[in-house]
Amino acid sequence: PMMNNQIGGRLAENNAARVNALRGLTGEDGARAFAEAERRGTAGPMYKQAFEVMPDASAMTPEQARTMQTLIRSPAIKEAMGQARAIAANRGTNVGPANATGSIQGLHDMKTAMDGAISAARTAGNTVKADSIKDAQNRLVGLIEELSPEYKSARTVYAQMSRPINSMDIASDVARRGLSSGSDLAGNQTINRNALLGAMRDEPALIRRATGRNVGNALSDVMAPD
């Protein structure tokens, strides 16, 4: 009995340590809220500055003009353009003299609308459609960054400051799926080994599910080694 008690106590301690380690990665102690506020305070003003730029069509290079015309003929871009106009109307703002391509804000709204279309296609299992929309979006983002270096800087800073937030969101998803609703004799939640391993089996799906975006294909792309 003495040995059993010691083994049982050690198992409970080990479980509590694992659970606390997992919870510590989720940022539930306020770390996530702090990181999000810090990102908003830093990248927000940078985006605001970028959105104030109105691209001059006459100043575009021939290559940029051809890219713009090719994009406008894309079904995914046409749909995103309509959504960008709706977003602007809901805000009470104008995205340009004639269409959504008249401002950096409008072009960014198109990019955001395409995020939703990509996510919806992946959720429906239509990876070919999702990849085609992503390709058009990449070309759109490349054009926006050429037209506005401020926008490129804002995106770079936002992505860098999103890494710890994405990491915490992934840990939260794993904890939500891997921790059982029951507890051990010490009152600590227990780790459901099969559920925990199952949650991490498909890393790309886990990343998309937790972050809502395709920000990497492996946990090592998103989470720091430690």
Side-chain angles (χ1 to χ4, degrees):
M2 185 181 299
M3 186 176 292
N4 283 337
N5 288 339
Q6 290 183 0
I7 291 174
R10 176 57 60 86
L11 290 174
E13 290 173 5
N14 289 348
N15 174 72
R18 294 188 184 102
V19 171
N20 289 335
L22 182 55
R23 283 181 171 158
L25 296 175
T26 66
E28 64 181 23
D29 57 354
R32 190 194 184 285
F34 177 81
E36 193 170 25
E38 191 174 38
R39 180 184 64 180
R40 184 168 54 250
T42 302
M46 296 179 70
Y47 270 113
K48 185 175 184 299
Q49 180 184 3
F51 291 158
E52 291 173 353
V53 175
M54 300 295 289
D56 182 0
S58 64
M60 284 187 184
T61 66
E63 181 63 30
Q64 289 173 340
R66 282 193 295 271
T67 299
M68 177 67 81
Q69 291 303 315
T70 301
L71 285 170
I72 289 175
R73 290 194 294 270
S74 164
I77 293 292
K78 287 181 180 178
E79 183 178 347
M81 196 181 298
Q83 293 185 44
R85 291 196 190 100
I87 291 170
N90 290 334
R91 284 202 201 101
T93 59
N94 182 21
V95 295
N99 55 49
T101 63
S103 70
I104 297 299
Q105 173 77 72
L107 292 169
H108 174 75
D109 288 342
M110 290 167 60
K111 180 265 176 192
T112 302
M114 295 175 82
D115 283 336
I118 293 168
S119 177
R122 291 198 190 283
T123 300
N126 196 338
T127 55
V128 174
K129 181 179 179 180
D131 290 344
S132 68
I133 299 173
K134 183 65 179 175
D135 178 65
Q137 186 191 57
N138 287 339
R139 285 182 283 130
L140 173 64
V141 170
L143 178 62
I144 303 173
E145 291 182 343
E146 286 184 18
L147 297 175
S148 173
E150 296 88 353
Y151 181 80
K152 183 176 182 178
S153 296
R155 273 176 51 82
T156 300
V157 170
Y158 187 92
Q160 290 171 343
M161 301 188 75
S162 293
R163 285 186 63 85
I165 297 173
N166 293 335
S167 179
M168 287 183 247
D169 288 344
I170 290 170
S172 293
D173 188 90
V174 172
R176 189 163 51 250
R177 295 168 184 273
L179 294 178
S180 68
S181 57
S183 59
D184 60 18
L185 294 177
N188 297 305
Q189 273 187 288
T190 57
I191 289 181
N192 185 322
R193 179 179 179 276
N194 291 334
L196 184 75
L197 295 177
M200 297 189 294
R201 185 167 291 117
D202 188 342
E203 294 186 12
L206 167 59
I207 293 168
R208 287 195 301 271
R209 184 174 64 238
T211 67
R213 298 182 303 282
N214 185 21
V215 294
N217 292 316
L219 292 179
S220 58
D221 295 336
V222 187
M223 306 181 81
D226 57 342

